[in-house]
Every structure is written in C-alpha cells, then in structure tokens.
Amino acid sequence: MRSIGWKILCLLAPLSGCNSSVLSYKPNDLHAASLTHESADSSPKAAASSVAEWLEKWFGTIDSPIWPAPMADISVVNMQAVERCAGPVGRLEDKVERGIFRKHCVTCHGLSGDGRGPAALFLDPYPRDFRRGTFKFKSTPSGSKPTTEDLQQVLRHGIPGTSMPSFQALEESEEFANDVEDLSQYVSFLAIRGEVERRMLTKLLRDSEPLTTESQWPLDILRSVVEKWKDAPNQALPASSIPSWITDPTKSKERFEAIAKGKELFGSELTACSKCHGPSGLGDGASQDYDEWTKDWTVLAGIDPKQPGAWKVMKPFGALKPVIAKPRNLQWGGLHGGSDPASIYKRIVLGIEGTPMPPVARSSNSNPGLTEEEIWCLVGYVQELGRPQPISKSSQDQTTESSLVMRGDKGE
Ligand code: HEC
Ligand code: HEC
C-alpha cells in the first residue's frame, strides 16, 4: 500500500466526491509550493489538494465544519460555537445568527483563515494567516498555543496600530453577547486544521512519506496539534505582582530611579533592545528582519525576500509581497498588544512569537540575565517612552519633566 503514494490519490481526487456546490477549505498551495520550489517534477497544487481532501473527512467543509472523529475524546473547541461562526450568514432554527466569521472577519482573514481576504493586499501588517498555528499576543511562551482568554482579549481590544478592529461592541449588546467567545473558538478550529495541513504537507513533500488511505502518520500529527491546544492553559505565565511605583503616583522618586535603570538596561548588550528598537525606542535600530509567516515561503524555500521581485515566483500560489516586520516605535504612544504594565511585561518576558522580538534573558542559577525587578524597570521605561509629550511648558509637572529627560532626544 505504501508504494501507491500520494500521486495516485491525487489522480483519484477529482472522482471522489469533490462536489462543486460544497464550499471547501482552500488547500495550502503556498506551503506546498515552498516545499517543492525548484523541483521540476512535483506539482504543489496536486499535493495540496490531496491533503485538503484528506482533511475534509476530519474537519468537514466551510459550511459544515466537524470535529475530527479520532479526537472525539479530547474536547478543545466548542463545536456548537464553531458551527455558528462558519457557514453562510443567516439564522439557525432558533433564530440565532450564524455565519458570523463570514460577516465580520473574511474581508481580511479569508474564508479559510489564510489571511488572504480581499482587503489583505492593501494592509500592513497583513491580516493573520491562522493556519500556521502561531499567535503573537498571548500569555504563553513561544511554541505554546494561546489560551481562549488570550484570543478573546485580542478580539475585544483589536490590535491598535493595525487594521485588526475591536469587537468589544458585540459583547456589550444583548443579541451578540456570545459572539466574541464563539469567534475565538472558530479561530482555534481554523488554526488546528491549518497546522495539521501544514505539517502533513511537510511530511509528504519534504520527508516523501506516502499518503494512502491506510497511513497512520497523519493521525500522529493531528493528535500532537490538538494536545498542544489542550495544554495551553497550563503554559500560561504566572502573574507577577506589579511593583507599587508603577501604580502609585506618590512614589515618583522610586519611579524615576526605576525608569533610569530601565533606560540603562534598554541600551545594554545584555538585552539588545536598542539593537532593534534604536537608542531612543523609535524602531530605527540596525536589525531589520521578516516575520515567520514570510520566512516560511521565502528563506525556507531559498528565496531572498530582500531581492526585489524574487518573491513573484510564489505569487501564483497566493504569496503577498514580503514586508519587513518593523521593530515597534515605542514612542508612537500605543502598543499593539496592550499598553498596560501587565501586557508590556508579557511581551518582554515571552517575546512576540512569529516575529523577531525575542524573550528577554532571565537570570537563573546557570544563566546571566535580568531579575524580576529589572524586568519591571524595563516595563516602566517602555511605558515612559510611550507617554505623550507635554504641549507647553506650563503644563509640565514633575513627571513629564522627568519624562523628557528619560526619553532621550527627539520624540515624534
Ligand atoms: C480590517 C481587517 C481585519 C478584520 C475585519 C479582522 N481582522 Fe483580525 N487581524 C487583522 C490584522 C491586520 C491582523 C494582524 C496584526 C498583527 O500581526 O499584528 C489580525 C490578527 C488577528 C488575530 C491574531 C492575534 C494574535 O495574537 O496573533 C486574530 C486571532 C484575529 N485577527 C481574529 C479576527 C477575527 C475573529 C475577526 C472577525 C471577528 C477579525 N480578526 C477581523 C485584520 C483584521
Ligand atoms: C531582534 C530584534 C528585537 C529585539 C532585540 C527586541 N525587540 Fe522588541 N520588538 C521587535 C519587533 C520586530 C517588534 C514588533 C513585533 C510585531 O510585529 O508585532 C517588537 C515589539 C516590541 C514591543 C511592542 C509590543 C506591542 O504590544 O506593541 C515592545 C514593548 C518591545 N518590543 C520591547 C522590547 C524590549 C524592552 C526589548 C529588550 C528587552 C526588545 N523589545 C528587544 C524586535 C526586537
């Protein structure tokens, strides 16, 4: 059976129930193309279709998503919520609205969650392709999945500074009160399906593992992805208590000292913050790189994203022009993942997965790095950088006076 290989499955694909009236999840042609780049005799689109077809039996279609039967004993997403989000916009028998992902999200994220909705081309950063299973603004470390609460936070607050809108208003209305929760479930579902798809393609095309109806390896991939999502809540960073100088306005002397320490750390070799964010946090450091969603199909496929036009060989497979993942301008006055101290702390300690922003080195017995106290000094300094500049001399108080000193030179 192994010798039959996936190519035969592909040949059979058009005969086996590919009903054109069913709206299927779009195959991940781009990942297949990046794995077969420069190999003349393989057809990435055929491979991608064969995997997508295999997945249909596990995850269903856009109009009728299902939970993979072999995972019936592991509950990770609420399928009632998923069914409500997917499918066409309309009402279910009990008058509950359905199709809410199509209503609110597809213009940017696309029907399959591939980040290739009709508006995608015009946005920077591009809308997220959920199929990599990687998320940026979360409370878990790199390599772990976000918690449901992390996803809901992003939906509630949006991502300020990007086109990702806030959907808080839904929660505030009686009719749509459950939408944010349900949408977070559908994002998880799309990410699970998408990651299983990517990993199956890698196995098939890079490791040349044959895919037949008897293959067991897809099940191992499915189980490992689903278990990671199940494990996410156990990976969340324990809350660190916020030092009082951050919240108590009477502690301005302590605050001044902590921020000065933060500024020093920001420019130090140990943290390397200024290497990317620039000496005064304007995002103008020497290091400029791409995010993992871009590197996936450029660097990994041997295409230099910096070389003008080189990326265009991947355009027929859905690639968008590579854009640098710019280090944040910390003087802009807002942060994408939240400007409150607890959010900034998470970004510094955990890094931002999928982007060049690394987690800070933390000190332990064997590691040189920052202590908890020093990390909070950095949080204070990042907050200070984002503080609005005083408009006139007369409106300056003690804190803004110090803020001018702290921020270094030119603001924006
Ligand atoms: C107008 C375009 C637009 C719409 C509409 C939109 N998004 Fe987004 N979304 C984005 C962009 C752009 C990003 C990427 C931001 C970034 O990378 O920093 C994003 C990122 C995300 C993320 C990733 C968060 C993370 O931590 O990595 C999630 C989850 C998400 N969107 C869910 C949704 C859902 C669900 C909807 C519909 C309810 C939706 N988005 C509607 C543009 C949009
Ligand atoms: C290798 C480059 C690099 C280094 C080193 C680095 N950053 Fe970043 N940082 C980035 C990039 C790129 C982003 C934007 C990520 C994105 O696309 O959302 C970022 C984003 C951030 C954000 C913004 C989060 C938000 O919610 O908007 C903060 C805060 C931040 N960095 C602080 C720091 C601090 C403090 C240090 C040092 C401990 C540091 N960074 C080191 C590249 C770097």
Side-chain angles (χ1 to χ4, degrees), residues 303-374:
I303 297 167
D304 178 0
K306 289 199 173 80
Q307 192 187 331
W311 68 277
K312 285 192 182 157
V313 292
M314 290 297 187
K315 208 173 162 183
F317 303 101
L320 300 175
K321 190 177 176 198
V323 176
I324 299 239
K326 294 177 277 296
R328 193 81 67 248
N329 172 358
L330 300 170
Q331 293 204 26
W332 164 60
L335 289 175
H336 294 195
S339 305
D340 57 296
S343 295
I344 300 174
Y345 175 87
K346 276 185 230 163
R347 301 295 93 80
I348 294 176
V349 169
L350 301 168
I352 303 181
E353 190 168 3
T355 83
M357 166 78 190
V360 80
R362 299 174 85 174
S363 72
S364 66
N365 297 341
S366 52
N367 261 341
L370 303 196
T371 61
E372 202 57 14
E373 207 183 312
E374 288 171 325

Side-chain angles (χ1 to χ4, degrees), residues 79-240:
M79 282 311 290
Q80 232 176 339
V82 167
E83 282 160 25
R84 246 201 93 209
C85 294
V89 179
R91 304 248 165 206
L92 297 169
E93 289 101 64
D94 51 6
K95 298 265 188 317
V96 170
E97 203 188 24
R98 73 168 299 189
I100 52 176
F101 186 77
R102 237 182 260 191
K103 181 178 169 193
H104 295 298
C105 321
V106 294
T107 15
C108 293
H109 292 284
L111 274 172
S112 307
D114 57 5
R116 298 289 189 277
L121 191 60
F122 309 103
L123 304 174
D124 176 11
Y126 292 127
R128 182 64 43 75
D129 176 354
F130 300 135
R131 300 171 307 173
R132 199 174 189 280
T134 304
F135 292 84
K136 287 188 185 178
F137 304 112
K138 55 195 179 99
S139 57
T140 57
S142 231
S144 296
K145 300 302 167 192
T147 64
T148 309
E149 180 52 30
D150 290 335
L151 291 174
Q152 290 182 17
Q153 285 271 11
V154 165
L155 290 176
R156 270 183 214 118
H157 302 301
I159 306 181
T162 80
S163 56
M164 169 70 197
S166 151
F167 292 92
Q168 178 112 45
L170 295 175
E171 274 192 334
E172 287 160 7
S173 77
E174 207 173 303
E175 181 177 4
F176 306 118
N178 292 326
D179 285 13
V180 162
E181 198 179 324
D182 290 0
L183 285 161
S184 74
Q185 297 293 304
Y186 192 49
V187 169
S188 307
F189 177 85
L190 289 171
I192 292 171
R193 186 201 163 281
E195 189 176 351
V196 173
E197 179 179 36
R198 283 182 90 256
R199 288 176 57 178
M200 278 181 70
L201 279 167
T202 307
K203 194 97 179 149
L204 183 69
L205 295 170
R206 198 188 59 199
D207 308 340
S208 304
E209 189 76 48
L211 177 64
T212 72
T213 43
E214 328 254 289
S215 301
Q216 278 305 302
W217 60 264
L219 191 58
D220 298 337
I221 290 178
L222 175 67
R223 181 166 296 117
S224 95
V225 174
V226 168
E227 276 173 359
K228 278 214 139 162
W229 278 87
K230 187 172 164 45
D231 192 41
N234 305 326
Q235 302 298 322
L237 188 72
S240 165

